[in-house]
Amino acid sequence: MAEDMRNSGSFIELLETIADNKFILGDRLVEIGVSGPNLEATLAAVAMAQGELGHARLLYNWIFELKGLKSKKPNIERQTGKAFKGVVETHNWITLMASLYTVVTAVDIVLSSISEKGSDKTVSRVQKLIKEQKEHIVYAQQWAHQLLNDQGAIPITFKESLNTLLPEVQQWLKEVETTGIMDSYYIVNDVSLSSQFEEELNKLNLDDRAVVY
């Protein structure tokens, strides 16, 4: 059952969504990151861009295999159209950090569910990716706290950016829960993916001005 589900259209679509968002995020980390608020931020953004683009390539190659394609693996030049609108529209450092925070947090929750069950090969692929993106998660969390505790309009702008992204991310997590993959492939936990995501958001201490779930 698990093997059949991994080769189903719904599982491939799940991987494409993650790959597309990482592909766009990697592109934006270079495009916007080179003009980061300081040299350290710029260097970190460029380094993470390589990581996100590498993860996207890994996932696209996995999708290629799941589709049973035997030809030479293509050089990916664009997403498949499943990246979140808010990520595609990222245009400055604040929206970049909001995109990075929401994407890596949601993706980590989903991938952690995948790694709980499946073939050794699948678990190995996913665990490698999870391990590599841990630094990205820490970096995103640090910047989220920094922007929320900044002065003037910056905290408000960051929250507005989160508000733009969160409905898409929450909807995606709920769709993942209801496609049948959760029952057939993942281990079903008492806590849903969307609930885990909300728990992570609560760690930002957004208080009464919090984003809307």
Side-chain angles (χ1 to χ4, degrees), residues 11 15 58-66 122 125-126:
F11 185 67
L15 295 182
L58 182 152
L59 292 168
Y60 286 131
N61 288 339
W62 187 6
I63 293 164
F64 190 87
E65 294 175 10
L66 291 175
T122 300
R125 289 178 190 265
V126 174

Side-chain angles (χ1 to χ4, degrees), residues 70-90:
K70 303 298 182 182
S71 59
K72 182 180 179 181
K73 292 177 181 177
N75 180 30
I76 306 300
E77 297 181 352
R78 61 180 62 86
Q79 62 147 326
T80 70
K82 299 180 180 65
F84 303 135
K85 183 173 180 287
V87 173
V88 173
E89 294 178 350
T90 297

Side-chain angles (χ1 to χ4, degrees), residues 127-198:
Q127 287 184 340
K128 179 177 183 294
L129 201 156
I130 290 174
K131 182 179 179 180
E132 290 179 353
Q133 74 172 11
K134 286 300 182 185
E135 290 184 4
H136 299 195
I137 293 172
V138 172
Y139 185 83
Q141 290 173 339
Q142 290 175 340
W143 265 102
H145 285 290
Q146 181 173 328
L147 292 171
L148 286 168
N149 289 296
D150 211 315
Q151 301 296 316
I154 291 177
I156 296 173
T157 303
F158 183 72
K159 290 174 185 178
E160 289 175 346
S161 298
L162 286 178
N163 269 322
T164 299
L165 283 158
L166 286 178
E168 283 186 284
V169 177
Q170 287 281 38
Q171 181 61 35
W172 175 62
L173 291 173
K174 290 176 181 177
E175 288 174 358
V176 172
E177 293 170 353
T178 58
T179 55
I181 300 177
M182 292 300 293
D183 295 325
S184 302
Y185 182 63
Y186 306 114
I187 287 180
V188 179
N189 298 313
D190 292 335
V191 181
S192 69
L193 299 180
S194 53
S195 295
Q196 291 181 58
F197 185 66
E198 288 185 11

Side-chain angles (χ1 to χ4, degrees), residues 7-19:
N7 287 279
S8 73
S10 56
F11 185 67
I12 289 174
E13 184 173 339
L14 171 74
L15 295 182
E16 286 177 336
T17 300
I18 295 174

